[in-house]
Amino acid sequence: MAEKGTSHLPEGYCLWEMEETEFRLGLLGSGPGFLSILDIMSNPAIAEFLPPMTLVALAEPGSETAKLLDPRVRDIPVYATYEEMLARHPDINMLVELSGKRYRIKKIVAQLPDGVSFIDHTASFILCALNKFAAISATCRTNLDNQRALLEAVVNEVPEDIVVLDRQGHVADCNRNVMVRLGKTKEVLLGRPCWEVQAVRDDLPFCHPETKDCPFYTALRTGQKAEALETRVNKEGRLLYFRVYAYPVRDALGQIAHVLVMRRDITSRTEGEKRLQQSEKIGIVGRMSQYLAHEIRNPLFAIGGFTNSLLRSENLTPREREKVKIILEETARLDAILREILGFTKPGEGVVGEVDAVAVAREAVAALQGLYMPQDSSLTFEAEESLPWVRADADTLKRGIIHLIDNAYEAMGRPGAVIVRVFLNQGDVCVSVGDTGRGMPKDVLERVFSPFFSTKGGKGTGLGLAKLRKDMDDWGGSVEVASQEGKGTTVTLRLAAVLGVPATVIPGG
Ligand code: ADP
Ligand code: MG
């Protein structure tokens, strides 16, 4: 994630052209500051900031001759007076006075040849400070390098997408996860727009480029961290949940130069949370249905019975008879709904055991083929051979598959095709019911498993898929829904294979 900081100093702030000048130093005296100047000249960390400096000669070393033993000055010529030094070395263009004798400074300055700059011993404290600054900056730099290495390792290891975007939303940097997910190098990704890099499908950008209410634009606009929950349907028609965070990154002048955007795939966590909410809902429905059973079903039974006998009466006019008939039909409908709710909440009556999913699915298909078939539609069955048995309750599983086929028929235009397949996937036996129906928009896909969610008005209870998922959970399996609007839907029941059982040859398979 390393990025070179760009300087935002206004133009003309420092007129110094580093290559222009080389400072050729003559030192006068060896008082305080002498060793600092040697340090500065031999310190590569400072050399980076300063124009090149060379020590040419020394004059009047004074009494501190021990300093002259420093290996850095051992070969430098030493003169008794600075006048002699300047005369012998006309290339010296900076004289640094470290003798500490204030009264001479005026005189020295007055005698200084043209083109020679002068630093007196007081001003040379600035050089000492510079030296200290360089030492601190070297430590900081090491710390910074360590921090950067640590950060880079963390940023690259996290399983989230992290991109740094410029103000236009184009990628300035990204972490390894992004590159691996897209199978592209960083060079290819740099400069690409975020909606393209974040896409979960090749043929669809993550969002519309004109959408301005995403976390990126919010962070840019408000200067604050922004986040949002986003859902997308992938190529396979599966719903994905993302949490997107955007953090503004400011430059040295406090302006937002970049926005760091992190995207986390929270699909499985969200699934888990939803499941919990739904199972709580199922619990409430369970208790409520017991109440309904007693308080409504019994009177309903009475209404049904009396209406039936009323219908047999010969004193009814044809119009009255018609009305009584409606009462009877509606009573029957209410009773069916109550029965379905009771069936949903009551623990399964069937036995959970080892079941041949192929045989069960085949029976479910055969039952519907024999019963009814919408015109111009096909219902086909395919099964892999020698599949392991699964843990389930055969009757409930069959009813579940029939319900899926019902849903498929309901969603299908004419002509249409429903295909039921049984196959092995990742060690699980899968029963899938695919249709070429209308598919589901994203908001329906998000809620299909929610009890009582139905788009069919009075015709559906919205319990089919919720019940199926509850049963599958009980058997250690799961349900997956993949749907594309206008193309169709596939619901897959994933059943736990019974282990250690020899592969079974399916009769007639
Ligand atoms: P119901 O069938 O009573 O509405 P379900 O739980 O079976 O309840 O289904 C819930 C909703 O999911 C349906 O109302 C429908 O909108 C949607 N749905 C289920 N299966 C399909 C399918 N094969 N194609 C399109 N939409 C479907
Ligand atoms: Mg249904």
Side-chain angles (χ1 to χ4, degrees):
M1 298 287 286
E3 209 204 344
K4 270 241 144 98
T6 40
S7 160
H8 288 276
L9 293 179
E11 241 178 279
Y13 190 83
C14 182
L15 294 173
W16 205 300
E17 285 297 336
M18 298 276 271
E19 301 81 40
E20 228 169 50
T21 324
E22 182 192 355
F23 282 116
R24 303 189 54 79
L25 262 60
L27 293 190
L28 165 53
S30 55
F34 184 82
L35 291 176
S36 282
I37 287 181
L38 298 189
D39 286 348
I40 287 169
M41 285 194 301
S42 56
N43 187 341
I46 304 192
E48 213 178 288
F49 305 111
L50 290 180
M53 279 201 207
T54 317
L55 181 55
V56 177
L58 302 172
E60 301 175 23
S63 54
E64 297 174 83
T65 42
K67 288 184 182 167
L68 299 188
L69 296 178
D70 189 297
R72 291 172 293 185
V73 292
R74 221 182 282 154
D75 301 328
I76 304 289
V78 182
Y79 299 93
T81 65
Y82 74 88
E83 289 95 337
E84 190 187 351
M85 174 174 79
L86 290 178
R88 292 287 290 278
H89 295 279
D91 58 326
I92 287 179
N93 61 8
M94 178 174 276
L95 182 64
V96 183
E97 179 274 322
L98 299 172
S99 66
K101 294 172 187 158
R102 261 237 134 249
Y103 65 93
R104 295 171 64 198
I105 294 175
K106 261 194 182 151
K107 181 185 154 211
I108 298 172
V109 173
Q111 288 178 348
L112 223 48
D114 277 353
V116 179
S117 316
F118 179 70
I119 296 179
D120 72 14
H121 62 266
T122 314
S124 74
F125 282 130
I126 292 174
L127 294 180
C128 301
L130 184 66
N131 193 32
K132 211 168 229 161
F133 167 74
I136 294 170
S137 111
T139 318
C140 289
R141 188 176 287 196
T142 314
N143 286 346
L144 203 64
D145 285 347
N146 291 344
Q147 294 295 330
R148 177 174 290 165
L150 187 73
L151 194 68
E152 225 170 294
V154 172
V155 163
N156 276 327
E157 283 314 312
V158 290
E160 275 94 47
D161 273 16
I162 298 180
V163 286
V164 178
L165 302 174
D166 65 16
R167 295 182 61 94
Q168 283 69 47
H170 292 174
V171 175
D173 205 349
C174 66
N175 72 342
R176 186 155 53 216
N177 196 57
V178 178
M179 297 183 259
V180 171
R181 185 172 60 75
L182 297 172
K184 294 193 171 132
T185 62
K186 194 182 278 190
E187 286 65 42
V188 176
L189 297 175
L190 291 185
R192 306 304 315 159
C194 58
W195 51 90
E196 192 184 300
V197 169
Q198 296 199 321
V200 285
R201 282 168 59 177
D202 303 340
D203 56 338
L204 264 191
F206 189 69
C207 52
H208 195 276
E210 297 302 313
T211 311
K212 295 282 192 263
D213 62 354
C214 66
F216 166 73
Y217 279 111
T218 309
L220 207 58
R221 210 169 40 237
T222 62
Q224 307 284 328
K225 173 192 166 185
E227 64 174 276
L229 180 73
E230 304 272 353
T231 52
R232 294 291 181 278
V233 178
N234 71 6
K235 222 195 202 111
E236 288 81 44
R238 285 174 207 274
L239 190 69
L240 304 175
Y241 291 84
F242 295 104
R243 192 158 278 287
V244 181
Y245 305 86
Y247 305 84
V249 181
R250 294 172 191 279
D251 63 15
L253 297 181
Q255 308 287 347
I256 299 174
H258 292 104
V259 175
L260 186 143
V261 176
M262 185 169 103
R263 189 180 70 179
R264 181 174 290 161
D265 185 338
I266 53 163
T267 307
S268 39
R269 203 182 71 196
T270 311
E271 268 298 310
E273 283 167 6
K274 280 196 151 190
R275 230 166 236 248
L276 204 67
Q277 282 170 5
Q278 283 165 10
S279 67
E280 277 169 10
K281 200 162 160 186
I282 289 168
I284 295 168
V285 171
R287 289 191 291 279
M288 216 166 78
S289 69
Q290 297 306 316
Y291 169 80
L292 287 178
H294 288 109
E295 302 299 317
I296 300 183
R297 247 190 127 191
N298 293 347
L300 204 61
F301 190 72
I303 295 172
F306 289 133
T307 318
N308 227 337
S309 57
L310 197 60
L311 207 58
R312 282 195 293 270
S313 153
E314 282 155 14
N315 303 334
L316 292 178
T317 65
R319 280 196 67 185
E320 283 165 344
R321 185 174 301 278
E322 197 52 41
K323 284 176 183 161
V324 174
K325 247 181 166 169
I326 293 174
I327 296 176
L328 196 63
E329 276 164 22
E330 289 299 305
T331 314
R333 200 173 72 87
L334 280 177
D335 191 50
I337 292 175
L338 280 180
R339 234 179 318 154
E340 192 164 339
I341 294 175
L342 278 173
F344 175 68
T345 50
K346 257 202 310 221
E349 279 154 15
V351 235
V352 179
E354 293 174 10
V355 170
D356 177 358
V358 176
V360 172
R362 191 195 307 281
E363 278 172 29
V365 169
L368 285 183
Q369 272 169 336
L371 258 181
Y372 73 102
M373 266 292 276
Q375 289 236 311
D376 302 334
S377 312
S378 64
L379 172 60
T380 35
F381 178 73
E382 278 175 15
E384 281 178 10
E385 280 180 32
S386 307
L387 289 174
W389 283 30
V390 299
R391 231 185 85 76
D393 155 22
D395 280 345
T396 310
L397 178 61
K398 185 168 145 189
R399 272 203 302 277
I401 297 169
I402 288 176
H403 185 86
L404 291 182
I405 301 172
D406 264 343
N407 273 354
Y409 277 164
E410 200 282 326
M412 225 163 46
R414 312 281 181 260
V418 177
I419 176 158
V420 178
R421 293 175 58 226
V422 189
F423 55 96
L424 198 67
N425 180 274
Q426 295 171 0
D428 295 324
V429 176
C430 297
V431 180
S432 72
V433 178
D435 65 60
T436 54
R438 62 174 172 269
M440 300 177 219
K442 209 173 67 180
D443 59 316
V444 172
L445 196 53
E446 278 175 43
R447 301 170 65 192
V448 277
F449 292 115
S450 196
F452 300 115
F453 171 76
S454 174
T455 56
K456 298 173 189 170
K459 284 196 207 131
T461 55
L463 288 175
L465 289 175
K467 165 92 162 72
L468 200 56
R469 172 137 100 181
K470 185 171 159 277
D471 292 333
M472 294 300 294
D473 277 350
D474 290 346
W475 307 332
S478 60
V479 192
E480 292 162 7
V481 178
S483 186
Q484 275 178 289
E485 254 191 293
K487 288 196 178 156
T489 301
T490 301
V491 182
T492 306
L493 307 180
R494 196 172 266 285
L495 292 144
V498 178
L499 299 177
V501 172
T504 318
V505 179
I506 290 102

